[in-house]
């Protein structure tokens, strides 16, 4: 008997789960018998050791692995090196499980789940959807180890490709991520006492926008967006032998996407000096554009400072300045700001912002050339990272955050399968 004669939703779900678990257990037993009957992993009495010596055969040893079928205990040939006093099981290397107790299939599940959900939620998700039990701490360790492997792969693989479109866009931005106190010790921040609670994740996004909407405005091409980010510095000195770590990351992404070979290279940012310093160093011929929505937000902040938030005067002043900005009348914008420059600090700051970026705010000319003037793609990328990294109560180490950032960017950019193919090839 499978269960009660009456089968409501709850009873049927329990039956499904029981049958599924039983089927998986039987499959796991069969797979274990298959591997344990195969002793070809012991073909020599000694094998080469990583230390340069020889490791001798020391019998077979069991180890339980977590697989997509459930727990699986394998008997593997074990070799021990007397010189360096380490042991190795060749079969673990062959199966891609020499550094973990998770099978490649489960490790891939862990990566996908942990890149989008908290480690606890990822553990729960694996159990509910795949009936695979991986404890929260193990999800954390394995996801971060996988993220470090993804990050190393990103640094190692940056093949040059031709530009897929005549015009390519590179968006740069930064977003704060909560970290542990030790990671911000001695750093200045935005807290009332001048301390910091976050570290800045810098993001590079590359995309194309050859399509047009009904109004003729450029539209991001579906599937063209890639993301690359890390908590890294973008600053370097003239005496440094290499560009800053984030500058190198941007260069790799540009090569990987063909941005550096595009007929028109466009860099879009929010006006932060580090963005334009990096753009000038890496892509001196690129068209630089301040995201128009950031520019308008600066004007709205000034309006609030002058007339008060939500007042009719503030709203009208902001509308007039935005219209001038859209029309390319930057002199009119600056003139309106100067009226309040002596009494409103925000107005003085905005004058410097507009004047310093005036060649990046030629919006009518940019639009006439069919160019994007907003960085919505970059904002979306920051939001994607924030959804994973800024959960309530979360405090990261820089190393842990960078591992999950690398993993999430790889998945969002559609490169996860490529990573696994290279990983499998290197283990073969």
């Amino acid at each position: 008997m499978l269960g009660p004669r009456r089968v409501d939703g709850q009873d049927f779900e329990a039956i499904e789960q029981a049958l599924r678990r039983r089927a998986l257990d039987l499959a796991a037993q069969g797979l274990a018998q298959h591997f344990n009957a195969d002793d070809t992993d012991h073909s020599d009495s000694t094998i080469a050791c990583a230390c340069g010596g020889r490791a001798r055969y020391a019998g077979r040893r069991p180890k339980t692995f977590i697989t997509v079928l459930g727990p699986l205990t394998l008997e593997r040939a074990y070799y021990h090196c007397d010189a360096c006093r380490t042991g190795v099981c060749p079969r673990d290397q062959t199966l891609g499980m020499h550094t973990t107790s998770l099978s490649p299939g489960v490790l891939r599940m862990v990566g996908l789940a942990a890149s989008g959900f908290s480690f606890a939620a990822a553990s729960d998700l694996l159990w509910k959807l795949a009936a695979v039990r991986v404890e929260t701490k193990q999800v954390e360790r394995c996801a971060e180890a996988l993220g470090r492997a993804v990050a190393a792969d990103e640094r190692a693989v940056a093949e040059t490709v031709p530009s897929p479109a005549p015009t390519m866009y590179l968006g740069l931005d930064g977003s704060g991520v909560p970290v542990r106190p030790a990671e911000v010790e001695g750093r200045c921040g935005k807290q009332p006492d001048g301390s910091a609670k976050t570290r800045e994740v810098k993001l590079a996004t590359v995309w194309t926008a050859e399509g047009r909407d009904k109004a003729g405005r450029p539209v991001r091409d579906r599937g063209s967006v890639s993301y690359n980010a890390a908590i890294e510095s973008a600053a370097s000195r003239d005496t440094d032998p290499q560009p800053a770590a984030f500058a190198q990351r941007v260069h790799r992404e540009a090569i990987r996407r063909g941005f550096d070979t595009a007929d028109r290279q466009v860099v879009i940012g929010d006006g932060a000096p580090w963005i334009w310093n990096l753009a000038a160093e890496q892509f001196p011929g690129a068209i630089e554009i301040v995201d128009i929505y950031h520019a308008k937000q600066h004007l709205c902040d000034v309006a609030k400072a002058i007339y008060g938030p939500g007042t009719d005067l503030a709203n009208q002043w902001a509308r007039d300045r935005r219209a001038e900005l859209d029309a390319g009348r930057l002199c009119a914008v600056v003139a309106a700001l100067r009226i309040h420059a002596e009494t409103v600090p925000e107005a003085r700051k905005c004058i410097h912002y507009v004047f310093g970026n005036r060649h990046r705010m030629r919006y009518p000319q940019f639009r006439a050339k069919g160019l994007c003037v907003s960085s919505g793609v970059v904002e979306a990328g920051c939001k994607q990272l924030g959804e994973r990294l800024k959960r309530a109560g979360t405090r990261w180490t820089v190393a842990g955050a960078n591992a999950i950032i690398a993993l999430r960017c790889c998945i969002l950019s559609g490169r996860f399968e490529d990573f696994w193919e290279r990983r499998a090839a290197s283990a073969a």
Side-chain angles (χ1 to χ4, degrees), residues 8 40 49 80 82 110 126 135 142 152 173 183 210 226 235 281 289 307 366-367 376 390 427:
D8 58 26
T40 55
C49 181
H80 184 268
D82 294 327
V110 166
L126 289 170
E135 297 302 326
C142 292
D173 202 357
E183 301 287 8
E210 294 300 299
S226 65
E281 293 172 2
I289 301 177
Y307 297 109
F366 295 146
R367 289 191 176 110
K390 297 182 182 182

Side-chain angles (χ1 to χ4, degrees), residues 329-396:
R329 299 174 57 205
L330 297 182
C331 290
V333 173
V334 172
L337 289 167
R338 279 181 177 154
I339 296 173
H340 306 279
E342 291 188 5
T343 57
V344 181
E346 289 81 357
R348 290 197 298 274
K349 292 178 183 177
C350 198
I351 289 173
H352 293 298
Y353 175 79
V354 174
F355 186 78
N357 288 295
R358 60 194 182 280
H359 62 292
R360 303 183 182 104
M361 293 182 173
R362 296 177 285 116
Y363 299 118
Q365 292 93 319
F366 295 146
R367 289 191 176 110
K369 294 178 180 179
L371 298 176
C372 292
V373 295
S374 66
S375 61
V377 174
V378 191
E379 294 297 314
C382 288
K383 183 178 179 181
Q384 292 267 23
L385 292 176
E387 287 176 351
R388 176 61 185 93
L389 298 171
K390 297 182 182 182
R391 298 180 184 277
T394 302
R395 291 291 181 270
W396 296 90

Side-chain angles (χ1 to χ4, degrees), residues 134-258:
V134 185
E135 297 302 326
T136 298
K137 199 62 183 177
Q138 189 173 15
V139 169
E140 179 180 355
R141 288 196 303 268
C142 292
E144 291 187 0
L146 183 60
R148 290 192 292 271
V150 168
D153 181 74
E154 187 279 328
R155 290 190 295 270
V157 182
E159 298 178 355
T160 301
V161 299
S163 173
T167 302
M168 294 200 71
Y169 297 87
L170 169 66
L172 300 171
D173 202 357
S175 181
V177 170
V179 295
R180 295 179 183 176
E183 301 287 8
V184 290
E185 188 173 348
R187 287 179 170 270
C188 296
K190 298 179 180 180
Q191 300 302 307
D193 61 355
S195 65
K197 287 188 176 181
T198 65
R199 293 285 296 272
E200 185 179 47
V201 176
K202 290 183 173 62
L203 170 70
T205 305
V206 179
W207 74 94
T208 61
E210 294 300 299
R212 296 292 184 270
D213 62 14
K214 293 181 180 179
R217 293 171 298 202
V219 178
R220 172 185 57 83
D221 297 323
R222 186 179 182 86
S224 72
V225 185
S226 65
Y227 305 95
N228 207 324
I231 301 175
E232 289 177 339
S233 174
S236 60
R237 298 167 295 187
D238 293 338
T239 56
D240 290 340
Q242 296 289 336
F246 186 71
Q248 294 182 50
R249 180 177 298 276
V250 172
H251 181 67
R252 291 194 301 271
E253 191 64 21
I255 290 175
R256 190 179 290 118
R257 293 298 312 279

